[in-house]
Amino acid sequence: MNERIAKPQDHAATPRARAPDESYTQPQDAPGQPMTGRETEHFAGPGGRSHDPLTRPGRLLVTVFVTMFGTMLAAGALGFTTLSGQLLDMQEQIGNLQNQTSAQFLDMQEQIGALQKETSTQLLDMQRQIGGLRAEMHEEIGELSERMTRIETLLETHLVPASDARDPAGS
């Protein structure tokens, strides 16, 4: 099962290194350079060009940049989700504060209304009391006026001699 199936090849095999420090590759081949020679025939597409125009370090850079871009995109999405969640929490808190403020405002309005009623009731009572005092004062002033008139009359009739008294007929 693990046997190798050998296919007949038209080209000569790559020479093996004879000494331990001798390279297996051709001297014109350099690491990181596109393949040249017979090896490219196996990997080349139509026209003799390789399908991959990037070298290995180029592919590594592209992979790094794609990974960085994906990471930045994921971080941005996470940041956006976090910010939107925080904004929703703030909106809820503001709504709760508005409800509390409205309830307190209504309570204050009710208290002010009750105070206005109480004040107007007290004012009406005071006005009634003042009216009653005025009526009493007018009554007492009238009584005093009558008493004074009687005292004057009494003085004129009893204490003043008859010659100095005024004539009731007006003479």
Side-chain angles (χ1 to χ4, degrees), residues 146-159:
E146 286 178 22
R147 280 177 125 187
M148 299 253 316
T149 305
R150 280 187 277 163
I151 290 175
E152 283 177 359
T153 307
L154 204 92
L155 283 175
E156 285 180 7
T157 54
H158 290 301
L159 298 177

Side-chain angles (χ1 to χ4, degrees), residues 1-2 9 46 48 60 68 73-74 80 82 87 89 92 104 107 123 129 131 142 149 155 168 170:
M1 179 175 230
N2 288 336
Q9 296 184 2
L60 184 62
M68 284 175 39
L73 190 62
F80 178 76
T82 304
L87 284 174
D89 287 345
E92 277 184 35
Q104 289 175 350
D107 188 40
L123 184 62
Q129 290 173 355
T149 305
L155 283 175

